Amino acid sequence: MKLTLNWLKDHLETEASLDTIVATLTKIGLEVEEVKDPARALGGFVIAAVLEAKPHPNADRLRVCTVDFGAAAPMQVVCGAPNARAGMKSVFAPVGTYIPGKKTTLGPGVIRGVESNGMLCSAAELELSEEHDGILDLPGEAPVGTPYAQWVGLDPVIDINLTPNRPDAMGIAGIARDLAAAGLGTVKTPAVAPITGGAPSPVTVRIALDGADAALAPVFALRGVSGVKNGPAPDWLQAKLRSVGLRPINALVDITNFLTFDRARPLHVFDAKKVSGGLVVRRAAPGETLKALDGKTYTLDASMVVIADDSGVISLAGIMGGEATGCDETTTDVLIEAALWSPNAIAATGRKLGIVSDARYRFERGIDPAFTLPGLDLATRLVLDLCGGTASGVTLAGTVPEPDTRILFPYSEVRRLTGLDLPSTEMLQILEALGFQLAGSPGNADLIYVKVPSWRPDIFGKADLVEEVIRIAGVDRVVSTPLPRQSASIPAAILTPLQKRTRQAKRALAASGLVEAVTWSFVSHEQAVLFGGGEPALVLANPIASDLSDMRPSLLPGLIAAVGRNAARGAADLALFEVGQIFKGDGDKDQRIAVAAVRSGTAKPSGGGRHWSGAAGSVDAFDAKADAMALLDALGVPTGGLQVVAGGASAFHPGRSAVLRFGPKGVLGSFGEIHPSVLAAMDVAGPLVGFELILDDIPAPKSKPTKAKARLDLSDFMPLQRDFAFVVDRGVEAGAIVKAALGAERTLVTHVAVFDIYEGQGVPPGQKSVAITATIQPRDQTLKDNEIEAVMGKIIADVTKKTGAVLRG
Amino acid sequence: MADEPAHQNVLEAMSDLASLEALTLEAIAAAGDEAALDAVRVGALGKKGSVSALLATLGKMEPEERKVRGASINKLKDAIVEALEARKAILKQAALEARLKAEIIDVTLPVRPSPLDTGRVHPITQVMDELAAIFADMGFSIAEGPDVETDDYNFTKLNFPPDHPARDMHDTFFFEPGPDGTRKLLRTHTSPVQVRTMLTQQPPIRVICPGRTYRCDSDQTHTPMFHQVEGLVIDKQANLGNLKWILEEFCKAFFEVPDVTMRFRPSFFPFTEPSIEVDIRCSRKDGEIRFGEGDDWLEILGCGMVHPNVLTACGIDPEVYQGFAWGMGIDRIAMLKYGMPDLRAFFENDIRWLNHYGFRPLDIPSLVAGLTA
């Protein structure tokens, strides 16, 4: 919402400076976004008399002018304007002036061999209009040496970032009312003199909306003015419109635009001679079209309210008129429309058609119904004054609504909600200055009835009145007051187990040398499908880009894509992780927290790249497994019962990946090498390994009655180690051998490690040698040789029995 | 003199011992390494060694002579043993010194980086952890909710009337309508988590709601996905004054400055009444923003008293309970605190950016350590 200082002063008698007004506007909730003060921007431009204008010796189109701009000595400037002539008054910019229209600061120059110090300026160079054909030609009485902006009365423009709850401030009169309430002067908006009498309106009006539809257009008023002379509006009106960024069109149209800004009262004018028959307000028929005043043709549907005549739709109610019935210089008979429309219907239609207009902006926020007929009278008065003619009477369809919102307001509500103690007299004074009326008191000194003014459709209850009081009284008067803790004791953990695990997971993975990425929650449809998603419920209807269309079913596509982008910039060894939400459906429970990590190139946990102590090899599935296991360990997940089952999720290499699970129904996720087809589809080079686990699916640690740790069992006897090499079928998993060895003598065999895997010479084809070392921990006494041999025999027997392995001879 | 010859013998023998000692000690001193020293030892003290040979002669002597002679030989032996040990220690030390002289590494060779050096957490994680530390200390817990929301929780229950222009301020991502005609959306703010909290918890309530939020908007200061944190306090007396205090305490703790000056401005949000926007005083110099000084203002958050309609919609009686809520952009306050110039870079995952702006794994924010100290 734009206004100018002088326009504001049409409605507000005030001595306040521009700075005070701007600060007050922001303070009372009308946040000033920008102030353009031409007097400040154009301070260097002064009125000057052209003493001489001689032809330039070296250029036909240039003139060498001598200019008196109030300085001790006249200045010589070279000027290319065709209208530069001796004796004229114009605007002069001395050297050092910033020229807004050229975005440069003027320096001394030599033009075609003639010295030029300064510039005679066009309106375009001052950014006052588009006019750049000649320098400004001022009347003879313009005082030489005076700043031009000051003399011409250039008006500071204030741009307010208006919140949608303040339709009353969509007119400058309403803004003046707010400022007056805040103590910045008195309102002087002139009262509207009713226009009475006149012949009946020449055009009939009918609202063809019944029942529930009646709310779409509560009232439609029309008045004709015949015998007008339309043409350019007077300068004052054109200047006002330009000052708030509007383009003057012709007097009739400009009057409606003026009242839109002045009083927040949008109106429309039809050329009566272009209207055939009576007007009907109705829903559009599906497929009807209208060529609107913006020159575009819109196709309408039955949700939209239109104004039609015998020829069809002539105006899109409350949003934009039609080109065919618009007013131009030939208009002699005009119909002025002042109506009310349903804010929601206007908003819906405007959104559907993509039309942004000053009328829509106001109607969809709600305009003052009580100003419908005064607005029509004011417009008529302006038409009669500026264009002449004879006014008819008003044709009225529907009735003007008379909102009567009364609120029972306890003064103490202000203290309850804000903590601020204000005298009730001050509160009442504020409310009355804003147009609220004291409408009785139920007998309690704290309680009053307040009648809400017709221009405040946003006020419903006492909290709204608290806001009105507090914003005018000053929110900065609220005193900061400590909010004590509800309990003085040291609080219990405030994070849920899942929140705690999310934090632990991030720190643990970072401590493993991985870098945390945050990738979009959406991926392309192709990627969603590739990673097991893509269901219709998770496809956005209005994605911001086609490759961000589906909610991600996995964190891996985002991470893999990030690896690809970094590789394209030359960083090929990457270790990234993300902890975040993935989507399996659109229900609340379908959003899960996943943890995923990827490693590419040589980004091994022990460090990547080439190094004097030995180059890192390529990442492999075991790096991903190590990351996953380290994570589970950091989360305190007991991994004793964890099963590592060959063959991970479909995005992984089937032979080089596995599922991590606690039984068939306790799947946590997968690790391994990323499937070559996935890499190909995403155009990312391998080697690339990774894992993804679902944090929600990791069982919670068993809660124990105390925090005490299990008793530490320290044996006094030396543990001993024995090595075994087994030959076994290639397909037998080393894990099975380890498990069998561990189970052979549970109390004595405390640890089994695999230290060698060998295939080749000496081992039959299709078989492999697996070498393990078992740690045997004596418990009560040192083991004798025969006892040790018995344990070893048990290990060999159990491994052979469970895996078919044979001790290598 | 009857004992003259004997005396003569003793004198000769004594001079033998003296020369033997002199010779042996000379050989010990000359031994250049442990092997040479051992040869001297064997030559003197070995089975066939010179001292051993002398000891063997004692057996044939008269007791008197043996006594005198034996003491002398033993003294000689002790002197030799002592000299051997001393020499051995010297040689050992010399050998160690020679070894150490040869054992040299190039200390300037680089080590392999530790995972603790290479790992990083994203600034958003860091700031979320900072927020949790600050608000936990004030007695808040953390509430979360789904990103895919209903229109009811994202708008209607928050007092956005259907078709109200306030909805246009939220550029909402929608999903296609389901079989029942309703369509889900991506939450445009974390306020639906407040709704969910109020629907499931009895007052008093103190929560913060951090999380991902979405708006269909993209430029230098807007990304289609961003992060917000909101706070909610509901009890029987929480008022604007308390809200002001909480926000002041938060800003001081978060920006780690001893004092902040805040400006409250009336504003509009459908779900709060009165609604307020908060600016904090700052200075701007060379693109760096400092708080607690200067005379510029920076808008940092929106807040207000929870609208009675919202309380009612969430089953809380606005005549009994009251409270306030606030919300701000996590990415935005991260940028303000840590000086990242461009929001979009947060989600590009350029490794150079992550390495530079990310935090080390063990830099875990805590109040005892002063958040980032």
Side-chain angles (χ1 to χ4, degrees), chain B residues 315-336:
Chain B
I316 293 176
D317 183 353
E319 294 299 325
V320 179
Y321 291 103
Q322 61 187 69
F324 51 78
W326 72 90
M328 62 191 142
I330 292 177
D331 326 275
R332 179 168 157 75
I333 59 172
M335 289 167 77
L336 292 175

Short mmCIF file of all heavy atoms in Angstrom, two decimals, chain B residues 315-336:
data_model
loop_
_atom_site.label_atom_id
_atom_site.label_comp_id
_atom_site.label_asym_id
_atom_site.label_seq_id
_atom_site.Cartn_x
_atom_site.Cartn_y
_atom_site.Cartn_z
N GLY B 315 -9.16 -27.75 21.83
CA GLY B 315 -9.78 -28.30 23.04
C GLY B 315 -9.29 -27.66 24.33
O GLY B 315 -9.38 -28.27 25.39
N ILE B 316 -8.78 -26.45 24.26
CA ILE B 316 -8.31 -25.76 25.47
C ILE B 316 -9.19 -24.53 25.68
O ILE B 316 -9.43 -23.76 24.75
CB ILE B 316 -6.83 -25.36 25.32
CG1 ILE B 316 -5.97 -26.62 25.27
CG2 ILE B 316 -6.39 -24.45 26.47
CD1 ILE B 316 -4.49 -26.37 25.02
N ASP B 317 -9.68 -24.36 26.89
CA ASP B 317 -10.61 -23.27 27.18
C ASP B 317 -9.85 -21.94 27.29
O ASP B 317 -9.05 -21.75 28.20
CB ASP B 317 -11.33 -23.57 28.50
CG ASP B 317 -12.37 -22.50 28.83
OD1 ASP B 317 -12.43 -21.47 28.11
OD2 ASP B 317 -13.13 -22.71 29.81
N PRO B 318 -10.10 -21.02 26.34
CA PRO B 318 -9.34 -19.76 26.36
C PRO B 318 -9.69 -18.85 27.52
O PRO B 318 -9.01 -17.85 27.76
CB PRO B 318 -9.69 -19.11 25.02
CG PRO B 318 -10.97 -19.72 24.59
CD PRO B 318 -11.03 -21.08 25.21
N GLU B 319 -10.76 -19.16 28.23
CA GLU B 319 -11.09 -18.35 29.41
C GLU B 319 -10.26 -18.80 30.61
O GLU B 319 -10.10 -18.07 31.58
CB GLU B 319 -12.58 -18.46 29.75
CG GLU B 319 -13.49 -17.87 28.69
CD GLU B 319 -13.25 -16.36 28.48
OE1 GLU B 319 -12.95 -15.65 29.46
OE2 GLU B 319 -13.34 -15.92 27.31
N VAL B 320 -9.75 -20.03 30.56
CA VAL B 320 -8.98 -20.57 31.68
C VAL B 320 -7.49 -20.51 31.38
O VAL B 320 -6.69 -20.11 32.21
CB VAL B 320 -9.40 -22.03 31.97
CG1 VAL B 320 -8.56 -22.61 33.12
CG2 VAL B 320 -10.88 -22.11 32.28
N TYR B 321 -7.16 -20.92 30.15
CA TYR B 321 -5.75 -20.99 29.80
C TYR B 321 -5.38 -19.89 28.80
O TYR B 321 -6.23 -19.42 28.05
CB TYR B 321 -5.41 -22.36 29.21
CG TYR B 321 -5.49 -23.45 30.24
CD1 TYR B 321 -6.58 -24.31 30.28
CD2 TYR B 321 -4.46 -23.61 31.17
CE1 TYR B 321 -6.65 -25.32 31.23
CE2 TYR B 321 -4.53 -24.62 32.13
CZ TYR B 321 -5.63 -25.46 32.16
OH TYR B 321 -5.69 -26.44 33.09
N GLN B 322 -4.13 -19.55 28.78
CA GLN B 322 -3.63 -18.57 27.82
C GLN B 322 -2.19 -18.92 27.55
O GLN B 322 -1.60 -19.76 28.24
CB GLN B 322 -3.74 -17.17 28.40
CG GLN B 322 -2.93 -16.99 29.68
CD GLN B 322 -3.21 -15.64 30.32
OE1 GLN B 322 -4.30 -15.37 30.82
NE2 GLN B 322 -2.23 -14.78 30.27
N GLY B 323 -1.63 -18.29 26.56
CA GLY B 323 -0.23 -18.61 26.29
C GLY B 323 0.27 -17.90 25.07
O GLY B 323 -0.45 -17.13 24.43
N PHE B 324 1.52 -18.15 24.75
CA PHE B 324 2.12 -17.48 23.62
C PHE B 324 2.89 -18.46 22.76
O PHE B 324 3.18 -19.58 23.18
CB PHE B 324 2.99 -16.32 24.06
CG PHE B 324 4.02 -16.66 25.11
CD1 PHE B 324 5.19 -17.31 24.78
CD2 PHE B 324 3.79 -16.30 26.44
CE1 PHE B 324 6.13 -17.61 25.75
CE2 PHE B 324 4.74 -16.59 27.42
CZ PHE B 324 5.91 -17.25 27.07
N ALA B 325 3.17 -18.01 21.56
CA ALA B 325 3.93 -18.83 20.61
C ALA B 325 4.84 -17.91 19.82
O ALA B 325 4.56 -16.73 19.68
CB ALA B 325 2.97 -19.56 19.67
N TRP B 326 5.92 -18.48 19.35
CA TRP B 326 6.80 -17.72 18.47
C TRP B 326 7.40 -18.65 17.44
O TRP B 326 7.37 -19.87 17.63
CB TRP B 326 7.90 -17.01 19.27
CG TRP B 326 8.95 -17.93 19.80
CD1 TRP B 326 10.10 -18.31 19.18
CD2 TRP B 326 8.92 -18.63 21.06
NE1 TRP B 326 10.80 -19.19 19.98
CE2 TRP B 326 10.11 -19.40 21.13
CE3 TRP B 326 8.02 -18.67 22.12
CZ2 TRP B 326 10.40 -20.21 22.22
CZ3 TRP B 326 8.32 -19.48 23.20
CH2 TRP B 326 9.50 -20.24 23.25
N GLY B 327 7.90 -18.07 16.36
CA GLY B 327 8.50 -18.91 15.33
C GLY B 327 9.58 -18.16 14.59
O GLY B 327 9.50 -16.94 14.40
N MET B 328 10.61 -18.89 14.21
CA MET B 328 11.68 -18.26 13.44
C MET B 328 12.36 -19.29 12.55
O MET B 328 12.19 -20.49 12.73
CB MET B 328 12.69 -17.59 14.36
CG MET B 328 13.39 -18.54 15.30
SD MET B 328 14.28 -17.58 16.55
CE MET B 328 14.01 -18.58 17.97
N GLY B 329 13.12 -18.79 11.59
CA GLY B 329 13.81 -19.66 10.66
C GLY B 329 15.14 -20.12 11.24
O GLY B 329 15.96 -19.30 11.64
N ILE B 330 15.32 -21.44 11.32
CA ILE B 330 16.59 -21.97 11.85
C ILE B 330 17.73 -21.62 10.90
O ILE B 330 18.80 -21.19 11.33
CB ILE B 330 16.48 -23.49 12.06
CG1 ILE B 330 15.50 -23.78 13.20
CG2 ILE B 330 17.85 -24.09 12.37
CD1 ILE B 330 15.25 -25.26 13.43
N ASP B 331 17.49 -21.80 9.62
CA ASP B 331 18.53 -21.49 8.64
C ASP B 331 18.91 -20.01 8.75
O ASP B 331 20.08 -19.66 8.68
CB ASP B 331 18.03 -21.78 7.22
CG ASP B 331 17.10 -22.98 7.18
OD1 ASP B 331 17.58 -24.10 7.09
OD2 ASP B 331 15.88 -22.76 7.28
N ARG B 332 17.89 -19.19 8.95
CA ARG B 332 18.12 -17.74 9.01
C ARG B 332 18.96 -17.36 10.23
O ARG B 332 19.93 -16.60 10.12
CB ARG B 332 16.77 -17.02 9.04
CG ARG B 332 16.87 -15.54 9.12
CD ARG B 332 15.52 -14.90 8.85
NE ARG B 332 15.44 -13.58 9.41
CZ ARG B 332 16.03 -12.51 8.91
NH1 ARG B 332 16.72 -12.62 7.80
NH2 ARG B 332 15.93 -11.34 9.51
N ILE B 333 18.62 -17.91 11.40
CA ILE B 333 19.41 -17.53 12.57
C ILE B 333 20.81 -18.15 12.49
O ILE B 333 21.77 -17.57 13.00
CB ILE B 333 18.70 -17.86 13.91
CG1 ILE B 333 18.41 -19.35 14.04
CG2 ILE B 333 17.44 -17.04 14.08
CD1 ILE B 333 17.89 -19.72 15.43
N ALA B 334 20.92 -19.29 11.80
CA ALA B 334 22.25 -19.87 11.58
C ALA B 334 23.08 -18.93 10.72
O ALA B 334 24.25 -18.66 11.00
CB ALA B 334 22.14 -21.24 10.92
N MET B 335 22.45 -18.39 9.66
CA MET B 335 23.16 -17.45 8.79
C MET B 335 23.59 -16.21 9.56
O MET B 335 24.70 -15.71 9.41
CB MET B 335 22.25 -17.03 7.61
CG MET B 335 22.02 -18.13 6.60
SD MET B 335 20.66 -17.74 5.45
CE MET B 335 21.47 -16.58 4.37
N LEU B 336 22.68 -15.71 10.42
CA LEU B 336 22.99 -14.50 11.17
C LEU B 336 24.14 -14.74 12.14
O LEU B 336 25.02 -13.92 12.30
CB LEU B 336 21.75 -14.04 11.96
CG LEU B 336 20.59 -13.53 11.13
CD1 LEU B 336 19.40 -13.23 12.02
CD2 LEU B 336 21.00 -12.28 10.37
#
